Amino acid sequence: AKTRTARLTRLAPQRVLLAAFAAALLGMLYMPTLKHGFVLDDVFLITENQDLQSPTPFVFFGQGFTHWSSTHGVVHTDSYYRPLVISSFWLDRNVWGLKPAGFHLTNVLLNCADCALVVVVLTEMLASFWPALLGGVAFALHAAHVEPVSFVSGRTDLMMTLFLLLAFIFLLRFRRRPTAAGYALILVPFALALLCKETVLLFPVLAWFVLRPELRLPARRRRARLLVGALVAVVAAYLLVRMAVLTGPAPGWGDISAGTRFMLVVNSFG
């Protein structure tokens, strides 16, 4: 463990350069998207969404992702809860108005941040320069980024990944050196990721696999169990809030029963 920590310390300056290089590469690749306009879901989530004219973004934490369109007959039901993403649209609209270039720039910057964090994750896992460089470049060039970056509404994946990677970085550091502050450094970004996209619900399972070696050590077993339990508690709290918001009375649901609403919300996890 001491040898690994020493290697990571020596890699610190290189890691900064690696992250900057990978992020810059990704930024250059996607700068042409600043010329793109709004398409598909962008119309009812951004250009026609009158909720974005709210004086504060806090209202979105009590609404579904497509609240405005579902209450105006554009979308039949509202089965997603992603308040941080819609809040980012609110912020962009207040900064850029309805100029699509500003929204696309936010997507590019988010993707660059994701790429930089991938490099940090790889150096944490491998403690080696060249594999981290290769992995960072491969991530930057991967075609899977095309839709989330060039499609403004695809920002859900970019924001979720940002907070997920932060949680994962602190999870790896917690495994190496458990601290009391380590719990919060993992739980907070995980909770923020949940408010971006529901797919991140699988993170506690990933954390359990990462912490399995700790569960075999009596001295660290209690901390590992406490962390996994705290992650599950965050998931439970999120599901309760999500269910309260999405299955509550709303004009967009029409005559659909509460039971059907609940099943639609569950189905959206697919």
Side-chain angles (χ1 to χ4, degrees):
K2 291 181 179 179
T3 302
R4 183 178 181 83
T5 301
R7 292 176 67 187
L8 285 171
T9 302
R10 289 196 301 270
L11 275 173
Q14 296 175 337
R15 179 162 53 186
V16 173
L17 292 174
L18 275 175
F21 172 76
L25 176 63
L26 200 59
M28 288 188 292
L29 283 174
Y30 287 100
M31 287 304 289
T33 64
L34 302 188
K35 299 178 182 179
H36 296 181
F38 294 117
V39 296
L40 302 173
D41 295 357
D42 297 343
V43 176
F44 63 81
L45 284 173
I46 299 171
T47 60
E48 295 181 358
N49 189 356
Q50 300 303 309
D51 287 344
L52 296 184
Q53 297 181 17
S54 169
T56 172
F58 297 112
V59 65
F60 303 128
F61 289 82
Q63 298 176 354
F65 189 49
T66 57
H67 173 265
W68 185 86
S69 54
S70 65
T71 56
H72 287 76
V74 180
V75 176
H76 183 55
T77 59
D78 191 350
S79 55
Y80 293 103
Y81 183 61
R82 299 167 179 176
L84 278 188
V85 178
I86 203 73
S87 295
S88 75
F89 293 153
W90 175 89
L91 181 61
D92 273 348
R93 181 158 181 173
N94 278 272
V95 173
W96 306 103
L98 286 176
K99 297 177 181 177
F103 289 80
H104 284 292
L105 177 62
T106 300
N107 277 28
V108 172
L109 294 176
L110 283 169
N111 203 29
C112 289
D114 288 346
C115 190
L117 289 177
V118 166
V119 172
V120 176
V121 167
L122 291 174
T123 53
E124 285 283 339
M125 295 179 67
L126 305 173
S128 182
F129 178 83
W130 291 110
L133 175 62
L134 179 61
V137 171
F139 181 85
L141 297 176
H142 203 289
H145 301 296
V146 173
E147 182 176 345
V149 182
S150 58
F151 177 35
V152 174
S153 297
R155 186 180 301 179
T156 53
D157 293 308
L158 301 176
M159 293 184 65
M160 178 200 71
T161 302
L162 177 72
F163 293 118
L164 173 62
L165 288 170
L166 283 172
F168 189 61
I169 289 168
F170 289 118
L171 175 65
L172 293 174
R173 293 181 179 180
F174 180 88
R175 184 181 63 177
R176 191 170 69 249
R177 183 179 295 177
T179 62
Y183 294 101
L185 291 173
I186 297 168
L187 294 174
V188 171
F190 171 57
L192 295 175
L194 281 170
L195 298 178
C196 296
K197 192 171 183 178
E198 50 284 336
T199 316
V200 79
L201 277 167
L202 291 174
F203 181 69
V205 178
L206 173 64
W208 182 81
F209 279 107
V210 170
L211 294 172
R212 281 185 69 185
E214 312 300 309
L215 295 171
R216 300 191 185 100
L217 302 174
R220 295 190 175 186
R221 185 178 300 156
R222 180 176 174 275
R223 290 178 179 177
R225 288 176 176 174
L226 181 61
L227 176 58
V228 174
L231 289 170
V232 173
V234 170
V235 169
Y238 162 77
L239 290 176
L240 287 174
V241 172
R242 178 190 176 95
M243 186 171 65
V245 172
L246 297 185
T247 64
W253 287 103
D255 297 327
I256 299 176
S257 68
T260 304
R261 295 177 199 172
F262 176 76
M263 292 308 299
L264 285 169
V265 172
V266 172
N267 181 64
S268 71
F269 284 104

